[in-house]
């Protein structure tokens, strides 16, 4: 099986599944569902290269649950998975458990 490794300050994220129904039990049609803005980090690049040429290590790590913009990054199909590859700067924060 192939492995996808992001370059530099990019992060590979798998979005969490969209809720099928609301808390009150109303089912949401596909046309009304919003893209989730939470996901799990699957892979992380080596880090951003600063103006002085040094590599700045990424803040996020594999397995982190993150919050990001709904329209961040580029959606890619890899195998059977729909993933998003984005810059670390597009991530708003790390969600704790």
């Amino acid at each position: 099986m192939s492995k996808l490794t992001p370059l530099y300050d990019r992060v590979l994220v798998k979005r969490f599944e969209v809720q099928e129904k609301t808390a009150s039990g109303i089912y949401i049609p596909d046309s009304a569902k919003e893209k989730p803005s939470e996901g799990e980090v699957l892979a992380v690049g080596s880090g951003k290269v600063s103006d002085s040429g040094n590599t700045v290590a990424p803040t996020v790590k594999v397995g982190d649950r993150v919050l990001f913009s709904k329209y961040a990054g580029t959606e890619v199909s890899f195998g059977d998975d729909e993933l998003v590859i984005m810059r670390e700067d597009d991530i708003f924060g790390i969600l704790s458990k």
Side-chain angles (χ1 to χ4, degrees):
M1 181 174 158
S2 298
K3 183 178 177 183
L4 180 59
T5 304
L7 298 177
Y8 306 111
D9 64 333
R10 289 185 173 78
V11 179
L12 186 65
V13 175
K14 182 172 185 178
R15 287 185 196 265
F16 290 132
E17 295 296 317
V18 177
Q19 294 276 339
E20 293 293 323
K21 63 180 180 176
T22 65
S24 60
I26 300 172
Y27 283 92
I28 303 170
D30 288 339
S31 60
K33 290 180 185 173
E34 291 188 19
K35 291 181 181 180
S37 57
E38 292 180 30
E40 180 182 359
V41 175
L42 300 180
V44 180
S46 59
K48 189 173 189 172
V49 178
S50 68
D51 293 336
S52 61
N54 297 326
T55 301
V56 179
T59 305
V60 297
K61 60 187 181 309
V62 173
D64 281 347
R65 184 178 179 148
V66 295
L67 181 67
F68 53 90
S69 168
K70 291 180 186 179
Y71 305 106
T74 302
E75 294 182 0
V76 294
S77 295
F78 192 71
D80 294 335
D81 295 323
E82 293 292 323
L83 308 173
V84 182
I85 191 161
M86 65 183 78
R87 293 193 179 274
E88 188 179 27
D89 292 345
D90 291 336
I91 296 174
F92 296 138
I94 300 170
L95 300 168
S96 57
K97 297 178 183 180

